[in-house]
Amino acid sequence: MFKIKALKRCSALATIAMAAALSGCSKAVVLNPAGDIAAQQGQMVITATLLMLIIIVPVIFLTLFFAWKYRQSNTEAEYEPDWHHSTSLELVIWTVPLLIIIALGALTWIGTHKLDPYRPLDRIDAQRALPADVKPMEVQVVAMDWKWLFFYPEQGIATVNELAAPVDRPILFKLTSTSTMNAFYVPDLAGMIYAMPGMQTELNAVINRPGVFKGMSSHYSGAGFSGMTFKFHGLSNEDFAQWVNKAKTEGKALDRATYQNLVKPSERDPVQRFASVEAGLYDKVLNRCVEDGKMCMHHMMAIDARGGQTYVKAMGLSMPQDVCTVQNANQVIAALETRNANRAVIQQ
């Protein structure tokens, strides 16, 4: 008997210690983030929870109250076996939940449009509107197996598994993937956004205080998924300029050959920096035509939109099987661009 009680006490102490450890280690990032978009999303969670507690708390309280009042030992409790209806009670039971549902629906509709990841920012934070002359910093994101590649077109650099941005400057993320669907997520910055091969998604966000924040893949993508993490650095303008200069000084060039070696599956890659990036490389990744002689998807779709093989034959090109061959890709692209140029001249 003594051993059983001792085990129960140890189990209780272990549970309390574990709960304390978890609460101490967790910063509740979703409810206390460093970026305005994530802060607005966290506030929506809090507001929705409080609205639902308007019903949940009274129901829990009344359940306990009725169980106590109508307990078997309470001989003074009133018993009305013929009671079956109360208009005022029905009115409360149906009206209050209906009002809460309406409020939740309005909150969700407004928040969904206001926090649309494709929508440009209109403020830096709750106290500061976005100045009209501020241009978002563009970051092009490529999800690989199993690492992240970031292009900075304005700065002319690229990095692997490291992301940085100036504090209080809007960021426009453009995201794609090399092989499988993935999800880009920095909890302090904004909600997660998916990245898919051959497609581009967008995310607008801002970081409002300096620091080093965790970034991750939040969608399972294979064996190296657990190590597909990176650090996001919120920096002052001066520190960000130094970070860019460091990449330009220490990094190497990122061209198609380097990219084709980089895109090979690997796990837990260290941070890499590239001092320069071959022109148009991100667009080739997006359109899946980094390899020499491979037709880009946007050219392929343009040909299909004009009639596919019929259009190609009308342009005087011989393509017996498929318009997407290495041998004739350059011819088709040149013919397509010539036709577009001629149309532009005629329209002018």
Side-chain angles (χ1 to χ4, degrees):
M1 190 68 178
F2 175 77
K3 290 183 178 180
I4 294 175
K5 288 183 178 180
L7 287 173
K8 287 182 177 179
R9 288 176 183 172
C10 291
S11 177
L13 289 173
T15 303
I16 294 171
M18 186 178 296
L22 289 174
S23 62
C25 293
S26 174
K27 297 190 298 181
V29 173
V30 173
L31 301 180
N32 185 34
D36 184 58
I37 295 297
Q40 293 182 69
Q41 293 171 339
Q43 187 58 50
M44 284 186 62
V45 173
I46 293 173
T47 304
T49 302
L50 293 175
L51 282 171
M52 291 184 285
L53 286 176
I54 293 174
I55 286 292
I56 294 172
V57 171
V59 167
I60 293 174
F61 172 77
L62 289 173
T63 300
L64 297 174
F65 174 73
F66 289 151
W68 175 81
K69 181 176 181 180
Y70 296 104
R71 66 193 185 277
Q72 185 177 7
S73 60
N74 186 8
T75 57
E76 297 180 359
E78 296 180 5
Y79 177 58
E80 299 180 12
D82 296 328
W83 184 90
H84 62 89
H85 179 72
S86 171
T87 302
S88 58
L89 189 59
E90 289 282 348
L91 191 63
V92 172
I93 290 174
W94 289 104
T95 303
V96 176
L98 180 61
L99 292 175
I100 292 174
I101 291 171
I102 292 172
L104 284 172
L107 178 71
T108 303
W109 191 88
I110 294 171
T112 300
H113 288 80
K114 185 179 179 181
L115 299 176
D116 183 351
Y118 285 78
R119 180 178 178 177
L121 302 186
D122 56 6
R123 73 183 206 182
I124 296 174
D125 56 31
Q127 288 76 39
R128 294 175 292 173
L130 182 68
D133 59 342
V134 173
K135 179 184 177 182
M137 184 183 77
E138 183 175 323
V139 179
Q140 299 163 341
V141 183
V142 180
M144 297 179 163
D145 296 327
W146 289 273
K147 50 189 169 285
W148 295 95
L149 174 62
F150 303 104
F151 293 95
Y152 293 80
E154 181 181 329
Q155 290 75 24
I157 63 171
T159 59
V160 172
N161 287 341
E162 185 179 55
L163 179 61
V167 171
D168 291 337
R169 181 178 178 183
I171 313 168
L172 171 59
F173 293 100
K174 295 183 177 180
L175 305 100
T176 189
S177 178
T178 55
S179 58
T180 61
M181 183 170 69
N182 218 305
F184 172 84
Y185 187 32
V186 181
D188 273 284
L189 192 65
M192 68 177 184
I193 188 76
Y194 278 90
M196 293 162 280
M199 300 177 66
Q200 178 174 277
T201 52
E202 294 184 7
L203 174 67
N204 286 274
V206 63
I207 195 73
N208 296 123
R209 65 172 183 255
V212 180
F213 310 101
K214 183 178 181 180
M216 69 188 82
S217 166
S218 56
H219 183 94
Y220 182 73
S221 58
F225 161 76
S226 61
M228 197 172 172
T229 60
F230 61 92
K231 290 182 178 180
F232 172 63
H233 300 267
L235 305 172
S236 65
N237 290 329
E238 294 77 13
D239 290 340
F240 179 72
Q242 292 178 8
W243 182 83
V244 172
N245 288 333
K246 184 177 181 181
K248 290 185 175 182
T249 303
E250 300 177 358
K252 55 185 178 180
L254 178 59
D255 53 18
R256 283 193 290 180
T258 306
Y259 172 83
Q260 289 175 3
N261 185 60
L262 184 66
V263 78
K264 296 175 182 177
S266 58
E267 300 182 25
R268 303 184 185 277
D269 284 53
V271 172
Q272 298 182 53
R273 300 183 181 94
F274 299 94
S276 62
V277 180
E278 181 178 321
L281 182 57
Y282 171 77
D283 289 331
K284 292 183 182 298
V285 174
L286 173 61
N287 287 285
R288 303 178 68 79
C289 56
V290 177
E291 298 84 353
D292 290 333
K294 187 173 182 180
M295 183 181 288
C296 295
M297 284 183 60
H298 66 289
H299 288 132
M300 195 183 306
M301 290 186 287
I303 293 170
D304 289 340
R306 288 166 171 78
Q309 192 172 9
T310 302
Y311 163 75
V312 171
K313 289 182 177 179
M315 298 299 296
L317 299 173
S318 176
M319 305 181 74
Q321 297 297 327
D322 193 347
V323 298
C324 307
T325 62
V326 174
Q327 290 75 17
N328 51 41
N330 293 331
Q331 291 177 286
V332 175
I333 293 171
L336 185 63
E337 291 177 345
T338 300
R339 179 167 177 173
N340 289 342
N342 293 335
R343 283 188 175 183
V345 171
I346 293 173
Q347 290 174 356
Q348 292 176 354

